[in-house]
């Protein structure tokens, strides 16, 4: 009987030891799940790329030197000076952005800021912008919403060839304007169709200040203007197809 009790005690001790050993291995082998979230108090970089699971860059945040380093847009100039954020679609093509710059110049200041929305594989066609150029002689400040009509993306490279063609013409300004109007009417170049906002400044030693709605026709010429001028006088004007001649004007001047 004593022998049986002894064996039971030994078995109990073995079970306790085995459980303890298993608990030891369980505790020591446990590793908490590694977090994929990294936290930084401060980080300094030239560019950040937001990339989806397929490896497509969907957004870029960068300084002016890096923002469009890999852009395929034929309209990007070598002197691009904007910092900010660019949005890209499912194909990795630019489709808008939030950009800005600003600096003092030898004679004044210059600044630009804008939220742009692009047509598919095209340049921006909706812009909320601030544009500012000020020097000793003249100034121009523009704040508002601009809508631009652009050709289909398949004609984009031909579009920029037309601009180069116009710039290289050894002709008068009037002849160049005529060619611009022709290409715009044919729908092969871009043209501003709508602006809602304020434009003010000094030009040829005369101040101007216009706040209102400005609509242009398919050729990019003036069609309708509804605005308040520098003297607080409201205007409603309708233009002919050339955009140079007023065919109707509502006289809202105060009668003396």
């Amino acid at each position: 009987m004593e022998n049986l009790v002894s064996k039971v005690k030994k078995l109990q001790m073995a079970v306790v030891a085995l459980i303890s050993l298993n608990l030891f291995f369980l505790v020591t082998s446990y590793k908490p799940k590694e977090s994929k979230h990294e936290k930084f108090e401060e980080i300094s970089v030239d560019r950040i790329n937001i990339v989806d699971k397929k490896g497509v860059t969907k957004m870029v945040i960068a300084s002016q030197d890096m923002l469009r380093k890999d852009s395929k847009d034929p309209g990007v100039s070598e002197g691009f000076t904007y910092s900010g954020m660019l949005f890209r679609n499912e194909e990795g093509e630019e489709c808008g952005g939030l950009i800005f710059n600003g600096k003092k110049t030898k004679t004044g200041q210059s600044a630009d800021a804008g939220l742009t929305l692009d047509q598919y594989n095209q340049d921006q066609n909706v812009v909320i912008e601030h544009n500012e150029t000020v020097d000793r002689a003249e100034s121009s400040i523009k704040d508002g919403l601009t809508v631009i009509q652009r050709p289909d993306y398949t004609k984009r490279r031909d579009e920029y060839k037309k601009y180069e063609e116009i710039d290289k013409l050894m002709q008068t300004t009037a002849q160049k304007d005529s060619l611009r109007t022709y290409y715009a009417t044919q729908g092969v170049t871009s043209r501003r169709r709508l602006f809602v906002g304020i434009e003010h400044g000094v030009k040829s030693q005369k101040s101007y200040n216009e706040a209102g709605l400005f609509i242009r026709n398919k050729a990019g010429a003036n069609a309708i203007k509804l605005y308040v001028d520098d003297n607080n006088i409201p205007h409603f004007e309708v233009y002919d197809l050339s955009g140079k001649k007023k065919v109707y004007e509502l006289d809202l001047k105060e009668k003396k």
Side-chain angles (χ1 to χ4, degrees), residues 209-239:
N209 190 323
E210 298 179 349
L213 168 68
F214 305 87
I215 301 174
R216 298 189 177 192
N217 60 26
K218 288 172 63 176
N222 291 325
I224 298 173
K225 291 184 178 182
L226 176 63
Y227 65 98
V228 177
D229 68 16
D230 200 13
N231 297 312
N232 283 330
I233 298 174
H235 296 259
F236 178 64
E237 303 168 357
V238 180
Y239 291 78

Side-chain angles (χ1 to χ4, degrees), residues 135-140 201-208 230:
D135 60 32
R136 296 191 187 100
E138 296 187 343
S139 64
S140 172
V202 177
K203 186 175 183 180
S204 300
Q205 298 183 334
K206 290 185 65 177
S207 65
Y208 65 94
D230 200 13

